[in-house]
């Protein structure tokens, strides 16, 4: 995607995502060394020009920049703890999905080991890697972010959020929260119409344009939240948003109601506290302040 200087780079983890990251680096002309816990997953990469490291020690010492894309936080420690001294003086970019607390813990571990640490959150699926529609969020060492741009930009659009290593992960998980709750709502709708013989594919064709249009509402809802005034005119009220009929219809069709009941719980909490004529966006307060009066006052 970008011009590159053929920087040497090592990729640890050749699963679906790690494999896509490594392939994009090879395509971009970087001298790429690859390693995977289970041998035999690197054949296509080696055929394309990557070097295979038989041991983790040989992998991390092959390059000044080491990329980790493993299953989870525990697997990162399991892999890197034994080679901490070999990593000293190198840059570690961890693209494994982790919690912010995990990212900060790993940044501390890296600092103790003399490793320059950059954390990343991948907002993409493997086929998007190597295209500008793949967005990768970074935080941690600004030096690593700046000096590794030829590597990072081979994957997609790179954005840096600051020195706090937990920030990229926080944004990553926050955006994924929106995705998963939307998907749950889609499955709920698909289950409702399935009771009348409609396939999920047919439902998707109907639901997609409307849901895509609704994402256009997010900016306006965000303005209400940021303004903190839920009495502003022109907003759909909480009373109007009451999902009781939606829940009853779901039960009448014989489908589970958990996904919608969760949203209804947030709405009812505000209505019961006397805010029924205020904006639907007020459910944000119940999420932001889950305990005590602040979520309803
Ligand atoms: N796939 C996506 O769409 C996507 C999108 C965004 C972010 N991510 C993140 O990217 C990371 C990798 O995802 P993936 O899709 O590549 O997963 P995957 O296909 O399941 O691959 C998992 C990788 O982790 C390795 N691994 C698992 N446990 C390990 C351990 N204890 N020690 C060493 N290596 C271990 C596996 O090695 P073996 O071959 O030896 O099992 C494999 O290379 C995850 O954190 C995921 O959340 C993925």
């Amino acid at each position: 995607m970008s011009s590159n200087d053929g920087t040497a780079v090592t990729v640890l983890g050749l699963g679906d995502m790690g494999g896509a990251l490594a392939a994009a680096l090879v395509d971009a002309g970087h001298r790429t060394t690859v390693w995977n816990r289970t041998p035999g997953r690197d054949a296509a990469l080696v055929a394309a020009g990557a070097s295979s490291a038989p041991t983790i020690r040989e992998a991390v010492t092959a390059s000044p920049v080491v990329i980790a894309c493993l299953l989870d936080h525990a697997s990162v420690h399991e892999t890197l703890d034994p080679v901490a001294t070999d990593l000293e003086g190198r840059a570690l970019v961890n693209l494994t999905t982790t919690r912010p607390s995990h990212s900060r813990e790993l940044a501390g571990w890296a600092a103790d080991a003399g490793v320059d640490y950059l954390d990343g959150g991948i907002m993409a699926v493997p086929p998007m890697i190597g295209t500008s529609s793949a967005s990768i969020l970074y935080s941690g060492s600004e030096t690593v972010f700046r000096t590794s741009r030829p590597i990072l930009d081979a994957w997609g659009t790179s954005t840096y959020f600051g020195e706090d290593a937990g920030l990229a992960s926080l944004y990553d998980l926050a955006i994924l929260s929106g995705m998963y709750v939307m998907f749950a709502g889609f499955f709920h709708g698909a289950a409702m119409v399935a009771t009348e013989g409609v396939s999920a594919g047919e439902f998707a064709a109907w639901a997609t344009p409307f849901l895509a249009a609704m994402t256009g509402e997010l900016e306006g809802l965000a303005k209400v939240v940021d303004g903190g005034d839920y009495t502003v005119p022109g907003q759909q009220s909480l009373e109007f948003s009451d999902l009781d009929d939606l829940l009853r219809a779901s039960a009448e069709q014989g489908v589970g109601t958990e996904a919608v009941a969760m949203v209804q719980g947030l709405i009812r909490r505000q209505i019961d506290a006397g805010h029924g004529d205020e904006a639907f966006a007020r459910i944000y307060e119940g999420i932001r302040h889950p305990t005590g009066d602040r979520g309803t006052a």
Side-chain angles (χ1 to χ4, degrees), residues 12-21 35-39 41 68-80 94-98 120-127 129 172 176:
L12 309 177
L14 302 177
D16 292 341
M17 184 53 84
L21 297 172
W35 173 89
N36 194 66
R37 175 184 62 172
T38 306
R41 294 189 79 169
C69 188
L70 301 168
L71 184 65
D72 56 12
H73 182 63
S75 62
V76 174
H77 269 301
E78 197 176 312
T79 303
L80 296 182
N94 183 28
L95 296 175
T96 307
T97 304
T98 54
I122 304 174
M123 307 311 308
V125 291
I129 297 298
D172 180 8
L176 288 179

Side-chain angles (χ1 to χ4, degrees), residues 28-104:
H30 294 289
R31 282 174 285 129
T32 309
T33 298
V34 294
W35 173 89
N36 194 66
R37 175 184 62 172
T38 306
R41 294 189 79 169
D42 58 7
L45 287 163
V46 170
S51 303
S52 176
T55 66
I56 181 66
R57 181 157 286 108
E58 286 165 271
V60 300
T61 54
S63 314
V65 180
V66 175
I67 313 299
C69 188
L70 301 168
L71 184 65
D72 56 12
H73 182 63
S75 62
V76 174
H77 269 301
E78 197 176 312
T79 303
L80 296 182
D81 284 356
V83 289
T85 53
D86 301 287
L87 274 170
E88 188 178 353
R90 300 175 201 280
L92 172 63
V93 182
N94 183 28
L95 296 175
T96 307
T97 304
T98 54
R99 299 205 295 266
S101 58
H102 286 152
S103 306
R104 291 174 184 133

